[in-house]
Amino acid sequence: EVQLVESGGGLVQAGGSLRLSCVASGFTSDDHAIGWFRQAPGRVREEISCISFSDGSRYYADDVKGRFTISSDDAKNTVYLEMNSLLPEDTAIYYCAAIEGNYYSIAARPPGNVYDYDYWGQGTQVTVSS
């Protein structure tokens, strides 16, 4: 089955940057998508970004748009989340997740909809100090 391993979390001061990595293996279809989620204490888990390998489309949540960038290195089977201008409110556990087997067009998703991801990484802690 699909395996996901996150890395790159840590402690950073407000205004700083971090790059998270998600190394994926075990896909059986070229049609798949990988998303980044975060969960802070007392808050629900939220999708903050995703990338489709079906059509290359990308999604960003409003509160990270313009600060975070999702990208992929197909040769390394890795998806990155570059996080800039970090804020204390970005403190959370960050997870990557994957889904495969269908055609994924992020632009076609209804507003507010999130894929039912089947595979999850272990999470990496990001702490932003003020």
Side-chain angles (χ1 to χ4, degrees), residues 34-91:
I34 293 179
W36 282 101
F37 289 75
R38 67 184 182 187
Q39 187 165 22
R43 297 182 180 181
V44 298
R45 185 176 59 190
E46 62 173 342
E47 186 183 48
I48 57 173
S49 188
C50 66
I51 182 169
S52 169
F53 291 84
S54 299
D55 64 4
S57 56
R58 293 161 167 81
Y59 163 81
Y60 297 98
D62 287 342
D63 56 354
V64 307
K65 193 176 301 181
R67 298 190 297 123
F68 293 8
T69 302
I70 191 168
S71 62
S72 65
D73 185 334
D74 293 341
K76 297 181 178 180
N77 297 315
T78 301
V79 171
Y80 304 98
L81 185 69
E82 183 75 27
M83 305 187 295
N84 299 311
S85 301
L86 284 163
L87 302 168
E89 64 197 72
D90 294 318
T91 296

Side-chain angles (χ1 to χ4, degrees), residues 97-115:
I99 188 169
E100 68 169 353
N102 294 303
Y103 187 87
Y104 303 98
S105 180
I106 295 171
R109 293 198 305 183
N113 194 26
V114 177
Y115 295 132

